[in-house]
Amino acid sequence: MRLKPRFASVLVVFFCLPSFCADAWMFRANAQHTGVYDAPGVPNFSIVKWKFHTGGMLIGSPALKDGKIYVGSADGNFYALEVESGVLQWKFEVKSRVPSSPAVSDGIVYFGAYDGNFYAVDASTGGLKWKFQTGGERRFAGKHLHGVQPAAETMPDPFDCYLSSPVFWNGAVYFGSGDGNVYSLNAASGALNWKFKTGDVVHASPAIADGTVFIGSWDSYFYAIDALTGREKWRFKTGEDPDTHNQVGIQSSAAVVDGMVYFGCRDSHLYALDANTGQKKWAFGTDGSWVVASPAVRDGKVYFATSDSSLLYELDARSGSVLRSVGMNHWYLYSSPALAGNRLYVGSTQGKLVAIDLAGFKPAWSFETEGMKTHGPAYTKPDGTPNNDVIYRSDFYDDMVAGVDRTMSMGAILSSPIIVGNVVYVASADGNLYALR
């Protein structure tokens, strides 16, 4: 039946009002980190509803709760915006980079920063409620990192670009730290409930299901920890790379669905484990390409992206067999895919957000950031692929770091998009938070 125009308009307004939409108040939409949003999304892109510019790169994902959207920036500030207009509501001065994604609950917004503090800020006013000092932040580091020179030098990894994003559960907040610990704090007071020591940097974000915290470390282990006591339930060993430290470490956050836990690893695998026992059910190899992005899981299917090979996969959740895949023009994929309606949304280092039509598993539309429009042509080949000889230039460490900076200048999207109502919100390294409709 064809609707009369006045009724169609009422329906469109209904779906667009924030009060009728499920908020996206923590990383990956929920504590299980499924990456699934209860929203119609944007089947066909039409306009940039608004954009808000900060003074530094946006690496983490935004969170949206009660009419405000929150995001941290590398300019040393944390921002709260009015979600309909993008107008600044308040700004909290951290004086340190904030590449973690916030969580919002009970009127408080939680996030971590490179100064080693974990912050709790009043969601309405931006006033500090409390802060907790960890043992200090650092990036993963190793000698002869990624095979670059000088071989005897210990080098911090420029691709270790995120901090652990908090998850809220049962009156507590949980997060990992560069000091190698996983923390549980009282959400109201910031008092330490427990901390769990791993063997290296923890910049993955914890997922929680059935009273268990699931999180990986750069020590090559994936852990299941009792959320109430901090006691280890089990651990699972992933790959190691003692020579160049390239094929080691868990940056990906886990998704927990139907008694299974799924996560990616820099040993070039996506793993599926039994959530109760840690037993490996299957492992999907990616031929040397990292899996930094966190998987999304819905309707018996797992969706995830690879870095170097720039592929987006759809796998059978039970068997790990490939159902479909699509390439992203050889631009690295760090952004975690998000599902809403019949679209999957994922960002790339090309400075593009791509919406995949799940019916045909092909791009339906894409959006290009301002940074890509300005700086992308200088680092892009005529066929649209990255000109890595120009971006990275040599195998010396300093050139690798400079190459990462050039990539960021193109408005790379490392953050994961969130979808609320009929709007997609995505942050970019060009400093902009975009609202797309």
Side-chain angles (χ1 to χ4, degrees):
M1 181 179 70
R2 189 172 184 179
L3 294 171
K4 293 182 179 181
R6 65 178 182 273
F7 293 120
S9 299
V10 169
L11 284 176
V12 169
V13 171
F14 175 86
F15 281 118
C16 291
L17 287 174
S19 58
F20 293 107
C21 301
D23 286 339
W25 56 283
M26 71 170 71
F27 183 57
R28 307 299 288 145
N30 48 53
Q32 298 78 33
H33 286 177
T34 61
V36 178
Y37 294 84
D38 183 16
V42 183
N44 299 292
F45 171 65
S46 57
I47 60 169
V48 177
K49 185 178 180 181
W50 54 258
K51 69 177 180 180
F52 179 86
H53 185 70
T54 74
M57 298 181 295
L58 300 183
I59 302 298
S61 305
L64 192 156
K65 180 75 172 174
D66 297 333
K68 289 189 180 69
I69 189 164
Y70 306 89
V71 70
S73 173
D75 69 2
N77 294 298
F78 187 86
Y79 296 86
L81 315 176
E82 199 278 321
V83 72
E84 282 300 295
S85 64
V87 172
L88 178 67
Q89 300 297 290
W90 53 257
K91 179 173 70 173
F92 178 82
E93 188 178 23
V94 186
K95 297 181 180 179
S96 181
R97 293 188 176 198
V98 184
S100 70
S101 305
V104 191
S105 184
D106 296 333
I108 301 177
V109 56
Y110 305 92
F111 60 91
Y114 259 119
D115 63 0
N117 286 309
F118 184 81
Y119 291 88
V121 174
D122 188 290
S124 296
T125 67
L128 178 67
K129 304 288 277 188
W130 53 259
K131 65 180 178 179
F132 177 87
Q133 178 68 57
T134 69
E137 268 303 338
R138 71 175 181 90
R139 290 171 291 181
F140 173 71
K143 287 185 178 181
H144 203 197
L145 185 72
H146 309 317
V148 302
Q149 299 179 50
E153 184 175 339
T154 299
M155 311 165 183
D157 191 342
F159 301 104
D160 180 10
C161 46
Y162 306 102
L163 293 186
S164 180
S165 299
V167 61
F168 179 95
W169 180 81
N170 198 30
V173 283
Y174 302 81
F175 61 96
S177 170
D179 66 11
N181 289 305
V182 180
Y183 289 92
S184 169
L185 307 182
N186 180 288
S189 68
L192 178 67
N193 293 325
W194 54 258
K195 66 179 179 180
F196 178 88
K197 184 68 174 175
T198 78
D200 213 321
V201 169
V202 183
H203 284 160
S205 301
I208 298 183
D210 299 322
T212 303
V213 177
F214 299 93
I215 191 167
S217 169
W218 233 292
D219 68 2
S220 78
Y221 285 97
F222 185 86
Y223 297 90
I225 306 165
D226 187 291
L228 293 177
T229 67
R231 294 175 181 169
E232 181 180 319
K233 290 188 172 183
W234 52 258
R235 66 174 66 184
F236 175 82
K237 176 72 171 173
T238 63
E240 291 187 281
D241 181 3
D243 295 329
T244 64
H245 311 282
N246 179 272
Q247 295 286 302
V248 65
I250 301 170
Q251 280 180 281
S252 166
S253 302
V256 191
V257 179
D258 296 334
M260 298 275 282
V261 55
Y262 306 89
F263 67 94
C265 184
R266 292 210 332 192
D267 71 359
S268 303
H269 286 87
L270 182 83
Y271 290 95
L273 310 181
D274 185 291
N276 290 319
T277 66
Q279 178 186 1
K280 184 175 72 175
K281 294 298 186 179
W282 52 261
F284 180 82
T286 60
D287 295 325
S289 185
W290 297 344
V291 184
V292 172
S294 306
V297 185
R298 189 180 71 178
D299 298 333
K301 297 171 183 176
V302 181
Y303 301 89
F304 77 100
T306 64
S307 60
D308 302 52
S309 58
S310 185
L311 292 169
L312 180 68
Y313 283 99
E314 179 189 70
L315 306 185
D316 182 272
R318 284 294 167 188
S319 66
S321 59
V322 177
L323 300 176
R324 296 179 291 183
S325 66
V326 61
M328 293 291 168
N329 217 21
H330 301 284
W331 293 88
Y332 297 167
L333 302 179
Y334 277 41
S335 171
S336 301
L339 295 165
N342 67 346
R343 293 288 186 267
L344 179 151
Y345 305 89
V346 67
S348 84
T349 53
Q350 191 180 10
K352 286 187 176 182
L353 179 77
V354 181
I356 301 294
D357 179 3
L358 291 176
F361 215 65
K362 295 180 179 179
W365 58 264
S366 66
F367 167 78
E368 192 172 83
T369 63
E370 294 298 322
M372 184 60 189
K373 292 176 183 177
T374 301
H375 301 290
Y379 305 117
T380 306
K381 293 180 179 179
D383 63 359
T385 60
N387 191 337
N388 286 324
D389 290 338
V390 174
I391 295 172
Y392 291 102
R393 302 190 180 177
S394 85
D395 67 348
F396 195 77
Y397 176 77
D398 293 359
D399 283 334
M400 180 174 68
V401 173
V404 172
D405 290 342
R406 293 183 189 102
T407 300
M408 297 302 183
S409 77
M410 291 184 277
I413 296 177
L414 306 186
S415 77
S416 302
I418 67 170
I419 306 97
V420 177
N422 58 354
V423 182
V424 177
Y425 304 90
V426 66
S428 167
D430 66 7
N432 288 315
L433 178 63
Y434 297 91
L436 310 179
R437 190 172 64 194

